[in-house]
């Protein structure tokens, strides 16, 4: 059995990752691929418990380095229990956020050193790298307005400043310039145009 394909979706909040992932899943299924859709932090019962810890707002300080360690702990559990087995069975895995989110949020947003993040990435999932990353890029004000229109309460990230999200977006754009695996898509366009660009990128990079 050939290894499946691993596609990650990235971007600031409200960029449209979950919406686009659903559209992509439907298209891949119509092409008879087995698809496993998942998200980070989370994706397995224990990793989802870590997600809750890291997103909920509380009185205890969670230092940026502690946040990085929690993200990678959840990621290792997710990789071992869900992502690697799915790829080994030949599934296409669609993951809403992965290590680029740590690079952008903890690295760009919070200033954690790239050396620490890269050494953890190497230790945690050296053998599991995305085949393709779709960076849904929107101006911060667009992403935040979309997210605010839909939201109930705010979590630890959603309550961050505009300046924080500008740093996150800037790091994502730097990563896209540096890595051929990452395709930047202008996600401020109408949804149908964004979805068409995503399908085109997948067809071009990962031909059946
Ligand atoms: N995080 C981290 O810090 N480090 C890490 O390593 C990882 C994560 C893995 C998880 O949040 C938080 O964890 C995240 C980063 C941090 N926090 N933030 N910010 P999440 O992934 O659960 O939540 P999110 O990224 O904030 O998701 P979101 O707000 O749901 O965004 P989205 O999935 O990209 O957007 P959406 O739900 O598909 O769309 C939002 C709305 O816009 C919705 O009403 C859509 O109908 C609408 N939409 C979508 N596309 C369009 C277009 N093209 N036009 C108009 N309207 C649109």
């Amino acid at each position: 059995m050939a290894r499946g394909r691993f596609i990650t979706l990235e971007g600031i909040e409200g960029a449209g990752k979950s919406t686009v992932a659903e559209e992509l899943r439907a298209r891949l299924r119509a092409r008879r691929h087995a698809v496993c859709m998942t998200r980070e932090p989370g994706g397995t019962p224990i990793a989802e418990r870590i997600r809750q810890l890291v997103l909920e707002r509380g009185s205890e300080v969670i230092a940026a380095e502690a946040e990085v360690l929690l993200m990678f702990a959840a990621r290792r559990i997710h990789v071992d229990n869900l992502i690697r087995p799915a790829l080994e069975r030949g599934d296409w895995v669609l993951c809403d956020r992965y290590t680029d989110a740590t690079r952008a949020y903890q690295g760009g947003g919070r200033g954690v050193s790239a050396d620490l993040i890269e050494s953890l990435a190497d230790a945690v999932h050296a053998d599991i790298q995305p085949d393709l990353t779709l960076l849904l890029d929107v101006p911060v004000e667009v992403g935040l307005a979309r997210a605010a229109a839909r939201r109930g309460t705010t979590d630890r990230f959603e309550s961050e400043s505009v300046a924080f999200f500008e740093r996150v977006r800037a790091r994502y754009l730097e990563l896209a310039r540096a890595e051929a695996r990452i395709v930047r898509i202008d996600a401020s366009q109408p949804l149908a145009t964004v979805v068409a660009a995503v399908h085109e990128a997948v067809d071009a990079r990962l031909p059946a």
Side-chain angles (χ1 to χ4, degrees), residues 16 25 83 100 138 154 159:
R25 165 161 69 176
I83 297 177
D100 292 319
V138 284
T154 53
S159 49

Side-chain angles (χ1 to χ4, degrees), residues 159-197:
S159 49
E160 282 293 344
S161 64
V162 169
F164 172 84
F165 286 107
E166 292 287 4
R167 293 196 297 278
V168 172
R169 181 186 183 210
R171 182 59 57 90
Y172 269 132
L173 291 172
E174 263 174 46
L175 291 168
R177 284 191 291 272
E179 296 265 352
R181 141 184 87 77
I182 303 177
V183 176
R184 175 191 168 272
I185 287 167
D186 176 359
S188 63
Q189 306 175 95
L191 182 59
T193 312
V194 176
V195 169

Side-chain angles (χ1 to χ4, degrees), residues 10-20 39-41 51 54-55 67 71-72 75 96-103 105-106 110 136 138 143 146-147 149-151 155 157-158 164-165 172 187-192 194:
E10 297 282 358
I12 60 166
E13 72 161 329
K17 300 177 302 300
S18 329
T19 311
V20 163
R39 68 171 181 184
E40 289 210 344
R51 175 189 179 92
V54 85
L55 294 191
E67 201 172 82
M71 294 296 177
F72 275 108
R75 185 160 297 136
D96 188 337
R97 301 191 181 282
Y98 193 58
T99 297
D100 292 319
T102 314
R103 296 181 174 111
Y105 279 79
Q106 282 66 50
R110 305 229 194 272
L136 301 185
V138 284
R146 283 184 192 165
R150 189 211 41 194
R151 167 189 308 147
D155 67 29
F157 291 97
E158 289 163 343
F164 172 84
F165 286 107
Y172 269 132
S188 63
Q189 306 175 95
L191 182 59
V194 176

Side-chain angles (χ1 to χ4, degrees), residues 44-198:
T44 76
I46 291 177
E48 288 288 331
R49 282 159 71 184
I50 298 174
R51 175 189 179 92
Q52 214 182 325
L53 292 176
V54 85
L55 294 191
E56 74 190 7
R57 296 175 76 179
S59 56
E60 269 182 276
V61 172
I62 301 182
E65 288 73 15
E67 201 172 82
V68 168
L69 293 170
L70 287 166
M71 294 296 177
F72 275 108
R75 185 160 297 136
R76 178 57 184 255
I77 292 164
H78 189 206
V79 163
D80 287 347
N81 290 279
L82 190 140
I83 297 177
R84 186 183 295 106
L87 291 172
E88 284 173 357
R89 331 187 259 278
D91 289 9
W92 286 50
V93 176
L94 301 186
C95 190
D96 188 337
R97 301 191 181 282
Y98 193 58
T99 297
D100 292 319
T102 314
R103 296 181 174 111
Y105 279 79
Q106 282 66 50
R110 305 229 194 272
V112 173
S113 88
D115 285 352
L116 174 64
I117 293 172
E118 295 314 321
S119 65
L120 286 166
D122 220 37
V124 165
H125 63 81
D127 61 329
I128 304 288
Q129 306 292 348
D131 297 301
L132 171 64
T133 296
L134 301 161
L135 171 59
L136 301 185
D137 179 47
V138 284
V140 169
E141 64 274 15
V142 173
L144 295 187
R146 283 184 192 165
R150 189 211 41 194
R151 167 189 308 147
T153 54
T154 53
D155 67 29
R156 283 184 59 249
F157 291 97
E158 289 163 343
S159 49
E160 282 293 344
S161 64
V162 169
F164 172 84
F165 286 107
E166 292 287 4
R167 293 196 297 278
V168 172
R169 181 186 183 210
R171 182 59 57 90
Y172 269 132
L173 291 172
E174 263 174 46
L175 291 168
R177 284 191 291 272
E179 296 265 352
R181 141 184 87 77
I182 303 177
V183 176
R184 175 191 168 272
I185 287 167
D186 176 359
S188 63
Q189 306 175 95
L191 182 59
T193 312
V194 176
V195 169
V198 162

